[in-house]
Amino acid sequence: ILNVEQSPQSLHVQEGDSTNFTCSFPSSNFYALHWYRWETAKSPEALFVMTLNGDEKKKGRISATLNTKEGYSYLYIKGSQPEDSATYLCARPSGAGSYQLTFGKGTKLSVIP
Amino acid sequence: DTAVSQTPKYLVTQMGNDKSIKCEQNLGHDTMYWYKQDSKKFLKIMFSYNNKELIINETVPNRFSPKSPDKAHLNLHINSLELGDSAVYFCASSRTWTENNEQFFGPGTRLTVL
């Protein structure tokens, strides 16, 4: 994996369903992994910044896990609601002490009422 | 209170013109950024700016130049606009210039070059 890859590209779920999607990144030279939520016609908002292998973070119904050894992070949404509809982006810094982020193309989630 | 603001929200201009987009953050952050959302909706870093140190993404044409009058502002100046410059430009800021600081984004400026 040369950069940040996210799957699936898009996802439709029924209201109340739980869902998850994946961010894959190079496992070498890992520094941090960011998750952002981007609603249509708005700007990206930070969800989590994760730095340690095995990290698990939670914000309401949204949680994320991190595996730096194998180079992936999962984002979980429990009991999806229509307001969860957004594009979820992950990003990684380009190097140690670097504040430049390389973003994935995102997973677009649509929650059907 | 708006944390990161950009003006204008929309900018329509002719090819060849010079234009600027302004960005201001009231968060007291040290680092600011400019991103371009391309036609495929992909968010790409253009510049990072921290305490007068500028890091430029090598793919950015030199027609683009950031200007920072003070720590709270990072404006984007574009010379000789081209059709391919049409995109949404986002400004962002973070507390410091380390890899684990979340970034706060402005609302974006949609630039259309005719």
Side-chain angles (χ1 to χ4, degrees), chain A residues 49-97:
Chain A
V49 179
M50 309 173 79
T51 56
L52 299 175
N53 185 43
D55 255 357
E56 289 190 33
K57 295 210 171 180
K58 187 175 181 181
K59 187 179 286 189
R61 293 178 292 98
I62 303 176
S63 59
T65 60
L66 179 66
N67 184 324
T68 61
K69 295 187 186 305
E70 297 182 40
Y72 64 84
S73 175
Y74 292 139
L75 190 79
Y76 299 91
I77 302 179
K78 185 178 179 181
S80 303
Q81 298 297 308
E83 58 264 31
D84 296 329
S85 297
T87 296
Y88 292 83
L89 299 171
C90 68
R92 70 172 187 98
S94 55

Side-chain angles (χ1 to χ4, degrees), chain B residues 34-83:
Chain B
W34 276 104
Y35 289 88
K36 179 181 180 181
Q37 183 190 14
D38 64 20
S39 56
K40 296 183 179 179
K41 310 295 184 188
F42 198 19
L43 205 57
K44 289 185 178 178
I45 184 72
M46 299 177 70
F47 304 102
S48 303
Y49 194 87
N50 181 85
N51 193 27
K52 300 184 182 179
E53 179 175 347
L54 175 67
I55 294 183
I56 303 171
N57 185 309
E58 60 188 14
T59 65
V60 175
N62 58 14
R63 299 180 295 103
F64 290 78
S65 56
K67 298 187 191 304
S68 180
D70 55 58
K71 200 172 83 163
H73 297 85
L74 184 67
N75 303 324
L76 181 65
H77 190 74
I78 315 169
N79 289 327
S80 304
L81 278 155
E82 299 178 357
L83 295 176

Side-chain angles (χ1 to χ4, degrees), chain B residues 1-42:
Chain B
D1 287 343
T2 304
V4 182
S5 59
Q6 295 178 229
T7 53
K9 190 168 183 178
Y10 301 96
L11 181 56
V12 181
T13 188
Q14 298 289 327
M15 210 165 48
N17 284 350
D18 302 339
K19 290 292 178 185
S20 291
I21 306 171
K22 295 184 177 180
C23 177
E24 176 181 1
Q25 53 95 5
N26 62 6
L27 298 167
H29 286 172
D30 286 342
T31 309
M32 296 184 74
Y33 314 82
W34 276 104
Y35 289 88
K36 179 181 180 181
Q37 183 190 14
D38 64 20
S39 56
K40 296 183 179 179
K41 310 295 184 188
F42 198 19

Side-chain angles (χ1 to χ4, degrees), chain A residues 37-52:
Chain A
R37 181 173 178 274
W38 194 358
E39 287 183 70
T40 303
K42 294 189 178 180
S43 50
E45 291 182 356
L47 285 172
F48 307 112
V49 179
M50 309 173 79
T51 56
L52 299 175

Side-chain angles (χ1 to χ4, degrees), chain A residues 1 3-12 19-25 35 71-76 87-91 103-109:
Chain A
I1 297 172
N3 234 315
V4 179
E5 296 176 4
Q6 293 188 247
S7 62
Q9 190 173 348
S10 64
L11 191 56
H12 291 78
T19 187
N20 66 84
F21 23 92
T22 307
C23 173
S24 303
F25 49 86
W35 279 101
Y72 64 84
S73 175
Y74 292 139
L75 190 79
Y76 299 91
T87 296
Y88 292 83
L89 299 171
C90 68
F103 280 85
K105 294 186 178 181
T107 292
K108 185 172 182 179
L109 175 67

